[in-house]
Amino acid sequence: MEQTWRWFGPQDRVSIADVAQAGATGIVTALHHLPTGDIWSAEEIAKRQAEIGTMQDGRPSGLVWSVVESLPVSEDIKKQQGDWRAHIAAYKQSMRNLAAAGIKVICYNFMPVLDWTRTDLGWRLPNGATCMRFNLIDFAAFDLHVLKRPGALEDYDDALQDAAARRHAELSEEEVEQLTANVVFGLPGAAEKFSLEDVREHLSEYSEMSEETLRQHLIDFLSEVAPLAEELDLRLCCHPDDPPFPLLGLPRIMSTEAQYKMVMDAVDSPASGITLCTGSLGARPDNDLPGMMERLGGRVHFLHLRNIKRESGNLRGSFYEAEHLGGDTDMVAVVEAALKEEARRKAAGRADCSIPFRPDHGQDILDDLGRRAQPGYPSIGRLKGLAELRGIIAALEPRIAAGG
């Protein structure tokens, strides 16, 4: 398994030297400064590769750009409106430029409007560490009383509506502003930042779109780009919805194994695959993560290994980002299934027998608490997670290599 690390570019509070010291060999990054829909030029790609390959003191880092996360899919493509055909053409050219630079794996997502959603970006744990959290009551308070989305009442039962009203009533003006900023935070490092009015406008454009329609738009997109990916020897991998249940009245199409299988069957190309994120998918108690890795493993091109702790047994509920080995997902079983998939690929002679993974998210601990890196991406918290995952791999590899 290739050990990678997400890096947001030169402005990241975690330096390339930090990553090298953590022991990762590959970098996961994107050209966050470029607007969605623009072509990633060969020059911009080469510039980022040079930044990855050089530490602050000018010495070579030994790191390479292994995975693109993300080459973003525009809202126009998701809606099949406006400049969507031009955006697909630009996407294809970016793929060509990335392939020419030797980069093989491209992660993307098809979530409408917002990438990931949390209500707290620095929730304090009993031991003093902080983490990201999704609180369903806080989110309902935002949806019902801050955003005031039309039709929102239909999405919450009476008890949750009452709890949300009480929660909103006790929030100060500053707390409401912070909750709003947290919910619309989106992806750290992205060129676009959403205001509340932006969110309302985007939501209105999806108000009549069904899950089936959005899924067909994804299938249409993949039907365009997957053949080129095969030709270029690229691997595309779709990230799951985060959280993996409906929010803000938006359709969700990548939240369960069944949903993934529908898309993979519709575009049955080895180049079109999955980013298996154990944190995103793990927020639903009905998602069997080790089983998904076993059953869908041939199409898993990238792994996000993180853990969450669910605060209820409901399909839609509150959760927080746990330690990598401390949440509800059996991480040892997931890694074992991934290693077995790698062994099957090696036996079949597949060139992609090493699956890149990264320690996704992490709790802010020790000096992380003062560094104020991007939420979810601290240095020491992820280093701890990577060390734990590396230990699992070291323990399991000899047994799996021996056929156990």
Side-chain angles (χ1 to χ4, degrees):
M1 296 175 71
E2 181 187 2
Q3 300 175 25
T4 68
W5 187 279
R6 192 167 197 184
W7 185 63
F8 290 100
Q11 80 281 4
D12 199 322
R13 299 290 180 89
V14 182
S15 70
I16 284 295
D18 293 336
V19 181
Q21 291 169 24
T25 58
I27 289 292
V28 178
T29 192
L31 303 182
H32 297 295
H33 58 289
L34 297 182
T36 300
D38 280 12
I39 293 173
W40 288 16
S41 69
E43 293 75 19
E44 288 285 352
I45 294 167
K47 180 181 177 183
R48 179 52 53 88
Q49 287 181 310
E51 291 164 344
I52 290 168
T54 309
M55 292 195 283
Q56 289 169 309
D57 62 3
R59 289 181 299 165
S61 68
L63 298 168
V64 297
W65 188 353
S66 295
V67 180
V68 172
E69 187 179 356
S70 296
L71 182 57
V73 180
S74 72
E75 294 299 312
D76 280 357
I77 292 174
K78 295 169 190 174
K79 294 178 292 188
Q80 289 194 359
Q81 294 178 2
D83 293 330
W84 72 282
R85 293 188 185 278
H87 287 178
I88 287 181
Y91 204 96
K92 288 181 174 180
Q93 187 57 49
S94 296
M95 289 168 57
R96 294 185 185 97
N97 294 341
L98 287 164
I103 302 166
K104 298 293 188 181
V105 182
I106 299 175
C107 175
Y108 68 97
N109 77 70
F110 220 78
M111 285 178 272
V113 185
L114 300 174
D115 282 354
W116 50 264
T117 303
R118 300 290 186 271
T119 56
D120 198 325
L121 305 183
W123 190 57
R124 186 177 176 84
L125 294 162
N127 66 357
T130 63
C131 66
M132 297 202 294
R133 183 183 185 220
F134 178 85
N135 183 299
L136 183 58
I137 293 174
D138 282 2
F139 184 82
F142 165 80
D143 194 7
L144 293 167
H145 301 286
V146 181
L147 186 64
K148 299 179 182 178
R149 175 174 60 89
L153 283 171
E154 301 172 9
D155 291 348
Y156 307 101
D157 60 29
D158 291 344
L160 189 49
Q161 289 180 34
D162 290 344
R166 291 193 300 271
R167 177 61 174 151
H168 181 257
E170 68 186 25
L171 292 174
S172 67
E173 182 176 339
E174 291 77 13
E175 288 171 330
V176 169
E177 290 178 357
Q178 186 62 62
L179 174 61
T180 301
N182 292 346
V183 170
V184 303
F185 189 82
L187 180 67
E192 295 90 349
K193 298 294 183 184
F194 285 161
S195 69
L196 206 55
E197 285 306 313
D198 292 331
V199 173
R200 290 191 180 106
E201 181 179 349
H202 281 292
L203 290 177
S204 69
E205 295 173 353
Y206 282 96
S207 60
E208 302 299 321
M209 187 177 292
S210 66
E211 177 183 315
E212 291 73 22
T213 298
L214 183 64
R215 180 182 300 110
Q216 187 58 52
H217 290 180
L218 172 56
I219 291 168
D220 292 343
F221 167 71
L222 288 172
S223 297
E224 287 278 348
V225 300
L228 178 61
E230 279 196 59
E231 177 186 327
L232 297 172
D233 194 26
L234 292 173
R235 298 184 292 280
L236 302 171
C237 39
C238 189
H239 190 281
D241 304 320
D242 187 7
F245 42 74
L247 296 177
L248 301 175
L250 295 166
R252 293 296 220 193
I253 60 170
M254 287 302 209
S255 294
T256 66
E257 180 176 353
Q259 289 177 327
Y260 263 107
K261 193 170 187 309
M262 280 189 279
V263 173
M264 296 302 103
D265 288 347
V267 184
D268 191 12
S269 165
S272 176
I274 298 166
T275 297
L276 188 70
C277 177
T278 58
S280 299
L281 294 166
R284 282 181 67 117
D286 60 340
N287 277 333
D288 169 19
L289 275 302
M292 289 178 72
M293 183 65 232
E294 181 178 347
R295 291 182 290 272
L296 303 177
R299 302 281 284 274
V300 172
H301 298 322
F302 187 28
L303 281 164
H304 288 182
L305 299 181
R306 65 179 170 91
N307 224 322
I308 59 94
K309 185 67 178 177
R310 297 185 294 270
E311 297 176 32
S312 76
N314 300 327
L315 290 183
R316 180 180 69 164
S318 303
F319 61 88
Y320 65 89
E321 308 268 4
E323 296 174 299
H324 283 76
L325 305 187
D328 289 314
T329 294
D330 185 343
M331 196 63 70
V332 175
V334 171
V335 172
E336 182 174 18
L339 290 169
K340 288 181 177 178
E341 171 60 28
E342 287 189 332
R344 285 191 290 269
R345 294 183 185 190
K346 186 175 183 180
R350 283 179 56 167
D352 61 340
C353 59
S354 179
I355 302 173
F357 80 93
R358 65 176 177 84
D360 194 14
H361 295 187
Q363 296 180 351
D364 284 68
I365 58 175
L366 305 175
D367 290 352
D368 288 334
L369 295 166
R371 188 183 296 220
R372 303 185 66 81
Q374 286 90 344
Y377 293 95
S379 176
I380 302 171
R382 282 188 290 167
L383 172 61
K384 177 174 178 283
L386 179 58
E388 292 170 341
L389 295 168
R390 190 180 286 136
I392 295 173
I393 294 167
L396 291 176
E397 273 185 330
R399 191 184 76 192
I400 292 171

